[in-house]
Amino acid sequence: MAFDIDPVLRRDCHLLGRFRYAHLLLNRHSTIPWFILVPETDETEVVLLPHDDQLELFHETSILGKFVKVTFNADKINLGAIGNVVRQMHVHVIGRFETDACWPGVVWGAPLATDEYGEDDLRRITRQLVDYFGEDFTPADQPG
Amino acid sequence: MAFDIDPVLRRDCHLLGRFRYAHLLLNRHSTIPWFILVPETDETEVVLLPHDDQLELFHETSILGKFVKVTFNADKINLGAIGNVVRQMHVHVIGRFETDACWPGVVWGAPLATDEYGEDDLRRITRQLVDYFGEDFTPADQPG
């Protein structure tokens, strides 16, 4: 059966592509590099995923976190698997800056500026992902 | 050199004991089962830990999450590694309920009731940890 990314995630995020295990989204708010991994599963709890799937998800969380840290020169990486509102499993990997609007609070539930990425930004970030991850990352045909 | 748990974490939490890799704390607010893992490291980013240490930390996050899910019958497990305020590495494993005061928001930064655990509660939770984890968990001499 085809897997559909939750409509709230689709509304709030650009679909950038996918790793081997999870889809990669980018929150539309452009002032904070806020990535989201979405594995294809009906399970809602990360800790209840089958062992090998958990390892895959942790691995992609880790390599994505390192990418965000070095590419955006983030002061802190925030990781979160929450899912109180959107139950479809998704893991947040967020680059935070001591100068960003939410610092030192968390971004979840915080009011965020409406600045959005332009097409050039999305192309640049997709290129950075392809350069960094090589064949581990497959870009979407059209980031959207 | 002796490892000291950050004074803010000590102020906000009970020290329950330790797993093989990380210390286990429990936030003093008793209305939400909010556990915190603290590994002995100077690294502040989970994603920059050496590979084997990351696997250990992910493993303990996972088994602790399963424990919280089944023991407290939580509606949702919230996982987070944030560290914007307390830089010492720590991972949140929180049992959430659709009836709790913060739902569906996150607990971080939210105003929380001041209800604290009694000594009986701490003894019961420690006993549940020992029963569930066996020799993988070493209780503190005195939860405090």
Side-chain angles (χ1 to χ4, degrees):
Chain A
M1 202 180 74
F3 177 82
D4 288 319
I5 292 174
D6 183 278
V8 173
L9 292 177
R10 288 306 305 261
R11 182 197 66 199
D12 294 347
C13 301
H14 301 283
L15 173 62
L16 295 184
R18 64 171 302 157
F19 291 107
R20 291 172 190 268
Y21 181 62
H23 297 276
L24 179 62
L25 310 185
L26 175 67
N27 190 293
R28 293 180 188 273
H29 295 287
S30 65
T31 59
I32 291 174
W34 179 348
F35 293 84
I36 297 179
L37 291 167
V38 182
E40 294 198 2
T41 176
D42 291 332
E43 177 56 62
T44 56
E45 297 287 7
V46 171
V47 301
L48 298 183
L49 276 177
H51 180 71
D52 288 352
D53 290 355
Q54 277 191 55
L55 285 184
E56 283 291 339
L57 184 56
F58 287 144
H59 171 66
E60 294 184 356
T61 301
S62 175
I63 61 175
L64 176 60
K66 236 174 279 184
F67 166 82
V68 174
K69 183 84 180 172
V70 302
T71 303
F72 295 87
N73 200 20
D75 293 319
K76 191 71 192 67
I77 299 297
N78 286 181
L79 306 176
I82 302 166
N84 303 346
V85 178
V86 172
R87 283 297 175 108
Q88 183 175 78
M89 186 181 296
H90 60 288
V91 175
H92 302 268
V93 177
I94 308 161
R96 301 296 310 277
F97 304 94
E98 293 177 7
T99 54
D100 74 40
C102 302
W103 187 269
V106 297
V107 296
W108 305 290
L112 283 164
T114 51
D115 310 55
E116 294 217 358
Y117 293 102
E119 284 186 25
D120 283 356
D121 301 318
L122 295 175
R123 268 195 293 270
R124 187 189 68 248
I125 293 170
T126 301
R127 173 57 49 201
Q128 288 170 316
L129 287 160
V130 168
D131 288 348
Y132 188 90
F133 290 111
E135 62 187 14
D136 287 341
F137 176 74
T138 305
D141 294 337
Q142 181 88 31
Chain B
M1 206 181 71
F3 177 82
D4 290 319
I5 293 174
D6 182 277
V8 173
L9 292 176
R10 289 305 306 260
R11 181 197 68 198
D12 294 346
C13 300
H14 301 283
L15 173 63
L16 296 183
R18 62 172 304 158
F19 292 106
R20 291 173 190 269
Y21 182 61
H23 297 276
L24 180 63
L25 311 185
L26 176 67
N27 189 294
R28 292 179 187 274
H29 296 288
S30 65
T31 60
I32 291 175
W34 180 347
F35 293 84
I36 297 178
L37 291 167
V38 181
E40 294 197 2
T41 176
D42 291 333
E43 177 56 60
T44 57
E45 298 286 7
V46 171
V47 301
L48 297 183
L49 275 176
H51 180 72
D52 288 352
D53 290 356
Q54 277 190 56
L55 284 183
E56 284 291 339
L57 183 57
F58 287 143
H59 171 67
E60 294 184 357
T61 301
S62 175
I63 60 176
L64 176 60
K66 238 175 278 183
F67 166 82
V68 174
K69 182 84 180 173
V70 302
T71 303
F72 296 87
N73 199 21
D75 294 318
K76 191 72 191 67
I77 299 297
N78 287 181
L79 306 176
I82 301 166
N84 302 347
V85 178
V86 172
R87 284 296 175 111
Q88 183 176 78
M89 188 181 295
H90 59 290
V91 175
H92 303 269
V93 178
I94 308 162
R96 299 299 308 279
F97 304 95
E98 294 177 6
T99 54
D100 74 39
C102 302
W103 186 270
V106 297
V107 296
W108 305 290
L112 283 164
T114 52
D115 310 55
E116 293 217 359
Y117 293 102
E119 283 185 26
D120 284 355
D121 301 318
L122 295 175
R123 268 194 293 270
R124 188 190 69 250
I125 292 170
T126 301
R127 173 57 50 202
Q128 288 171 317
L129 287 160
V130 168
D131 288 348
Y132 187 92
F133 291 110
E135 63 188 12
D136 286 342
F137 176 73
T138 305
D141 295 336
Q142 183 87 33

